[in-house]
Amino acid sequence: MNTHVVRVDIDHAPYDILIGKNLLATATAIGQHLRQPRVAIVTNTTVAPLYLSQLVFALQAQGISCQEIVLPDGEQFKTWESLNLIMDALLTERAERKTTLIALGGGVIGDMTGFAAAIYQRGVPFIQIPTTLLAQVDSSVGGKTAINHPLGKNMIGAFYQPKLVLADLDTLKTLPDREFSAGMAEVIKYGLIDDLEFLQWLETHIDALMARDETLLAEAIRRCCENKARIVAADEKETGQRALLNLGHTFGHAIEAGLGYGAWLHGEAVAAGMVLAAYASAALDHLSAEDVQRVIKLLEKARLPVISPNLGAEQYKALMAQDKKVDAGRIKFILLRQLGQAYIGELPETAIDAALSAGCEVVK
Amino acid sequence: MNTHVVRVDIDHAPYDILIGKNLLATATAIGQHLRQPRVAIVTNTTVAPLYLSQLVFALQAQGISCQEIVLPDGEQFKTWESLNLIMDALLTERAERKTTLIALGGGVIGDMTGFAAAIYQRGVPFIQIPTTLLAQVDSSVGGKTAINHPLGKNMIGAFYQPKLVLADLDTLKTLPDREFSAGMAEVIKYGLIDDLEFLQWLETHIDALMARDETLLAEAIRRCCENKARIVAADEKETGQRALLNLGHTFGHAIEAGLGYGAWLHGEAVAAGMVLAAYASAALDHLSAEDVQRVIKLLEKARLPVISPNLGAEQYKALMAQDKKVDAGRIKFILLRQLGQAYIGELPETAIDAALSAGCEVVK
Ligand SMILES: NC(=O)c1ccc[n+]([C@@H]2O[C@H](COP(=O)([O-])OP(=O)(O)OC[C@H]3O[C@@H](n4cnc5c(N)ncnc54)[C@H](O)[C@@H]3O)[C@@H](O)[C@H]2O)c1
Ligand SMILES: NC(=O)c1ccc[n+]([C@@H]2O[C@H](COP(=O)([O-])OP(=O)(O)OC[C@H]3O[C@@H](n4cnc5c(N)ncnc54)[C@H](O)[C@@H]3O)[C@@H](O)[C@H]2O)c1
Ligand SMILES: [Zn+2]
Ligand SMILES: [Zn+2]
């Protein structure tokens, strides 16, 4: 299989995303992007036994010295404390300003390592090796980095771009089914936002994709990265259109926070959140009932939840009001004008209520 | 007295430094720079009783709502923990992405608040109101923000530019003498780096400056800010010439760390460190003995320490090797080709030893 290259054209620091096989095992691209023959690899206890030694071996073969920082696994560890473990390790080993940090793992490791790179000595180079589908199509692209705070997810972070992203299809083989599905939620998101053709392509190939056909997967990842790269390049700091990428996320974050982080996967919450956004768009007469069913059907085929937990309308609203997408107390929603055409808008109370009663589990 | 305006021409985000009187009491410039009528003011227990109510009053008169965050006072509180207090307070009050953080205090408050602004929700606007001489001429200009780590000073931080800096001469009246002198160390630094004319001007006016003549002080602060703004605009991320601003700081940081943070003030350590850098430059035959004495004399008139503590050469070297200005294990020093002309270079072991034995206290 050929390696796909997607260029992310951020003005001050453009970089490439490589999508293909055998990228981690050779790591040649990494060697070309270092400022000194020294890296610190941040990963977790799940990914380390699967891929760390392979990567270290490939890097050492190029004369690159590797520090290994292995964190506990889980969204609940995306905290100050874990970030501090990275800082302590880097300072103890005297990592320098030209030392490159490498994130080897899913979105949690990517977000934390990116943030660590942004603030260690006011910024050191960093490379992403996303190993989940979600991280390959979404979190590793675009430079958003963050940790959670007890009062809100991703509340502390930075915009900080990597020097290189390696999305290696080989790593997806070990990904648990539930995680794979969660990644598909973000894949489907791109179709809904502004790529109707891609949405149709996904509807055609969803079964083969779920069977992890590598050629189709590479194609899907490439298209997602292209879509995200284009949106991000136009609006790095999310002052405008970049917010479209949050389709399903305002509701989704409320679900994650309401159930307690970790109960549902991020992608699962986004899937159910996109259904709520679709119902809300229907309440505004933008989508037909058939459109909403089409969204639901595709998500179901990707084995994702399409019914949201019943937290009660009040708790949903309170949690959404804490989200970052708030301006002078008003919540910004990402809604659908039609399938494949998202926009940023406000949502009248009645439409929120309608969406929640249509999309939430009925409590008996 | 007229207000001086110094423009800092950072490509992507130019901003003004206003230097004058009555800036805090009116706060009109602040009102013009907000993105929503809401600010969070970060200050400490020493500065709050002196200036906070005055500032809040002036802002509220413009219809701006103010959150007050008062931290404990001291370099020893420039930590994760204090930063977390800021984050907790902002999240508890649901500060938004357009809420402006205002730093009211010296360099410690400025550095921490700037860093908090850089990472709260991935970046919110921020304004500096430096209330120490050091902060007015140095730390509030240029966008370096940071906190300390047990293994090194300013090791965690970000480059993040303010929207506006207000240097109000009125606030200097309450500044303790020792703090005032510490600020003069950084003032003198600018003369030594690349402004011989300014160095001579300082030699002429040092007594009046130490008597806090406001017209001369405003002139000195303006010149320092112009010098720093020029250097920073040319090299925001310190890949080159910006490092010149660290004259005296590699030795100075070793003094601060060696004695324990807080024993000497930053400016005091920089003063003694500049003397060591001068001796080292003399050891390289760049400066004459008279040049070194001229540096010492000016610093003495500014009531600054010119003799460094005797930590022993080994400890100095170990501490300096931990500094950020290290590349592949080699320490970069800022040295003087002549007075008013600094450069970045390496220092042979022998020159370090010569400087330390000339400049350190003799232990009997
Ligand atoms: N920065 C962004 O723009 C952005 C965008 C979307 C999501 N995110 C963040 O990403 C995170 C979610 O990322 P995620 O879904 O990758 O979760 P994750 O990082 O927790 O990974 C999911 C699980 O899979 C394991 N794993 C990773 N790679 C594996 C592999 N190859 N084989 C087997 N197991 C593997 C992980 O250890 C973990 O247990 C959230 O914290 C979310 O906030 C960030
Ligand atoms: N960001 C940069 O580029 C940069 C440059 C130089 C120094 N720094 C940092 O700045 C810090 C030192 O700054 P500093 O010297 O201002 O120290 P500081 O902030 O600790 O202030 C010194 C003391 O004066 C008090 N104070 C402040 N304003 C006062 C006033 N108007 N009247 C009376 N008391 C007042 C403070 O509460 C404190 O006790 C260090 O942490 C250093 O690392 C940063
Ligand atoms: Zn997401
Ligand atoms: Zn300094």
Side-chain angles (χ1 to χ4, degrees):
Chain A
M1 189 193 300
N2 284 337
T3 299
H4 296 285
V5 182
V6 177
R7 182 89 174 153
V8 185
D9 255 319
I10 299 276
D11 272 1
H12 50 97
Y15 60 93
D16 287 335
I17 306 168
L18 308 188
I19 302 156
K21 289 175 66 64
N22 226 19
L23 299 174
L24 193 139
T26 56
T28 37
I30 296 180
Q32 294 155 12
H33 282 82
L34 303 184
R35 297 184 60 200
Q36 64 177 193
R38 179 174 175 185
V39 301
I41 304 166
V42 182
T43 186
N44 70 25
T45 48
T46 304
V47 178
L50 295 168
Y51 302 109
L52 182 56
S53 61
Q54 196 179 345
L55 177 62
V56 168
F57 187 82
L59 290 170
Q60 283 176 345
Q62 298 171 59
I64 297 161
S65 83
C66 301
Q67 179 181 359
E68 302 173 8
I69 303 174
V70 182
L71 301 176
D73 181 12
E75 179 80 34
Q76 72 273 32
F77 296 107
K78 194 175 163 186
T79 57
W80 280 115
E81 288 73 24
S82 299
L83 192 68
N84 247 327
L85 291 177
I86 302 176
M87 296 296 136
D88 292 347
L90 294 174
L91 281 163
T92 304
E93 294 293 322
R94 299 192 187 173
E96 298 176 1
R97 280 191 167 166
K98 292 183 181 171
T99 304
T100 294
L101 298 201
I102 297 181
L104 175 69
V108 169
I109 286 295
D111 278 14
M112 276 201 291
T113 307
F115 188 38
I119 68 175
Y120 181 68
Q121 299 203 3
R122 300 199 187 92
V124 295
F126 120 91
I127 288 175
Q128 291 264 25
I129 307 183
T131 62
T132 65
L133 179 57
L134 185 139
Q136 293 186 353
V137 299
D138 188 358
S139 64
S140 69
V141 184
K144 275 197 189 179
T145 72
I147 55 171
N148 298 327
H149 182 281
L151 293 178
K153 212 174 127 59
N154 294 327
M155 280 292 165
I156 299 167
F159 288 97
Y160 198 70
Q161 302 295 339
K163 300 288 177 209
L164 178 70
V165 180
L166 294 187
D168 191 330
L169 290 163
D170 296 329
T171 63
L172 297 184
K173 286 181 195 146
T174 53
L175 196 64
D177 288 340
R178 211 179 139 191
E179 297 292 348
F180 187 82
S181 287
M184 283 304 291
E186 306 276 5
V187 173
I188 292 167
K189 183 186 76 175
Y190 290 106
L192 289 172
I193 291 174
D194 70 349
D195 196 345
L196 184 60
E197 198 195 303
F198 184 46
L199 191 72
Q200 288 159 343
W201 185 90
L202 288 171
E203 289 174 320
T204 308
H205 297 293
I206 187 69
D207 294 332
L209 286 165
M210 293 309 293
R212 308 198 192 185
D213 176 297
E214 286 192 330
T215 308
L216 288 172
L217 266 181
E219 172 70 13
I221 294 167
R222 180 182 65 72
R223 266 180 101 147
C224 292
C225 289
E226 278 171 1
N227 270 313
K228 182 151 185 185
R230 181 175 38 76
I231 295 173
V232 166
D235 179 21
E236 186 188 357
K237 300 287 168 64
E238 195 169 322
T239 51
Q241 294 302 297
R242 183 169 180 166
L244 295 180
L245 293 169
N246 290 317
L247 178 66
H249 281 61
T250 302
F251 287 112
H253 288 161
I255 294 172
E256 287 184 274
L259 296 178
Y261 292 120
W264 280 30
L265 297 179
H266 174 72
E268 293 171 339
V270 168
M274 288 193 295
V275 174
L276 290 177
Y279 277 123
S281 305
L284 298 178
D285 280 335
H286 297 323
L287 296 194
S288 67
E290 290 72 38
D291 289 333
V292 178
Q293 287 310 315
R294 206 171 140 191
V295 174
I296 290 176
K297 184 151 178 210
L298 183 57
L299 293 169
E300 279 178 336
K301 285 200 172 178
R303 294 177 215 127
L304 283 160
V306 293
I307 298 172
S308 295
N310 198 317
L311 307 172
E314 288 322 302
Q315 205 194 336
Y316 267 105
K317 288 172 199 167
L319 289 165
M320 292 191 295
Q322 270 173 40
D323 210 54
K324 280 192 296 300
K325 288 159 285 303
V326 168
D327 182 6
R330 304 184 119 173
I331 308 170
K332 298 273 177 209
F333 285 88
I334 315 303
L335 300 163
L336 293 169
R337 181 98 49 210
Q338 57 183 61
L339 295 185
Q341 195 180 317
Y343 71 98
I344 307 167
E346 287 178 27
L347 209 48
E349 196 90 3
T350 51
I352 300 180
D353 292 332
L356 290 173
S357 58
C360 288
E361 196 184 10
V362 178
V363 183
K364 285 156 215 143
Chain B
M1 188 194 301
N2 285 336
T3 299
H4 296 286
V5 181
V6 177
R7 182 88 175 156
V8 185
D9 256 318
I10 299 275
D11 272 0
H12 51 97
Y15 60 93
D16 287 334
I17 306 168
L18 307 188
I19 303 156
K21 289 174 66 64
N22 224 19
L23 299 174
L24 192 140
T26 56
T28 37
I30 295 180
Q32 294 154 11
H33 282 80
L34 302 185
R35 295 184 62 201
Q36 67 176 191
R38 178 174 176 185
V39 301
I41 304 166
V42 182
T43 185
N44 71 24
T45 48
T46 304
V47 177
L50 295 169
Y51 302 109
L52 182 55
S53 61
Q54 197 180 344
L55 176 63
V56 169
F57 187 82
L59 289 170
Q60 283 176 345
Q62 297 171 59
I64 297 160
S65 82
C66 302
Q67 179 180 359
E68 303 173 7
I69 302 173
V70 182
L71 302 175
D73 182 13
E75 179 80 35
Q76 73 273 29
F77 296 108
K78 194 176 162 185
T79 58
W80 280 115
E81 287 74 23
S82 299
L83 193 67
N84 248 328
L85 291 178
I86 302 177
M87 295 297 136
D88 292 346
L90 293 174
L91 281 163
T92 304
E93 295 293 321
R94 301 192 183 171
E96 297 175 1
R97 280 190 167 165
K98 293 184 179 171
T99 303
T100 294
L101 298 201
I102 298 180
L104 175 69
V108 169
I109 287 295
D111 277 15
M112 274 200 292
T113 308
F115 188 37
I119 67 175
Y120 181 68
Q121 298 203 3
R122 299 200 187 92
V124 294
F126 119 92
I127 290 175
Q128 290 264 25
I129 308 183
T131 63
T132 64
L133 179 57
L134 184 138
Q136 293 185 354
V137 299
D138 189 358
S139 64
S140 70
V141 185
K144 276 197 189 178
T145 72
I147 56 172
N148 298 327
H149 183 281
L151 293 177
K153 214 174 124 60
N154 294 328
M155 280 293 165
I156 299 166
F159 288 98
Y160 198 70
Q161 303 294 338
K163 299 289 176 206
L164 177 71
V165 181
L166 295 186
D168 191 329
L169 290 163
D170 297 328
T171 62
L172 296 184
K173 287 181 192 143
T174 53
L175 197 65
D177 287 340
R178 212 179 139 192
E179 296 292 348
F180 187 83
S181 288
M184 283 304 292
E186 305 276 5
V187 172
I188 292 166
K189 184 186 76 175
Y190 290 105
L192 288 172
I193 290 174
D194 70 349
D195 195 346
L196 184 60
E197 199 196 303
F198 183 47
L199 191 72
Q200 288 159 343
W201 184 89
L202 287 171
E203 289 175 319
T204 307
H205 296 294
I206 187 68
D207 294 332
L209 286 165
M210 294 308 292
R212 306 196 192 184
D213 176 299
E214 286 192 331
T215 309
L216 288 173
L217 266 180
E219 173 69 14
I221 294 166
R222 180 181 65 74
R223 266 180 101 149
C224 293
C225 289
E226 278 170 2
N227 271 313
K228 181 150 186 187
R230 182 177 36 77
I231 295 172
V232 166
D235 179 20
E236 185 188 358
K237 299 288 168 64
E238 194 167 324
T239 50
Q241 294 302 297
R242 182 169 181 165
L244 295 179
L245 293 169
N246 289 316
L247 178 66
H249 281 61
T250 302
F251 287 112
H253 287 161
I255 294 172
E256 287 184 272
L259 295 178
Y261 292 120
W264 279 30
L265 297 178
H266 173 73
E268 292 171 341
V270 169
M274 288 193 295
V275 174
L276 290 177
Y279 277 122
S281 306
L284 298 177
D285 280 335
H286 296 323
L287 295 194
S288 67
E290 290 73 36
D291 289 332
V292 178
Q293 286 310 312
R294 208 172 137 189
V295 174
I296 290 176
K297 183 146 176 216
L298 182 57
L299 292 169
E300 279 178 335
K301 286 202 170 176
R303 297 177 212 127
L304 284 160
V306 293
I307 298 172
S308 294
N310 198 316
L311 307 172
E314 288 322 302
Q315 204 193 336
Y316 267 104
K317 288 171 200 167
L319 288 166
M320 291 191 297
Q322 272 175 38
D323 211 54
K324 279 190 298 300
K325 286 158 287 301
V326 168
D327 183 6
R330 305 184 117 173
I331 308 171
K332 297 275 176 209
F333 285 88
I334 315 303
L335 300 162
L336 294 168
R337 182 95 51 211
Q338 57 183 58
L339 295 185
Q341 197 180 317
Y343 72 98
I344 306 166
E346 285 177 29
L347 209 48
E349 195 91 4
T350 52
I352 299 180
D353 291 333
L356 289 173
S357 59
C360 287
E361 196 184 10
V362 179
V363 183
K364 284 158 218 145

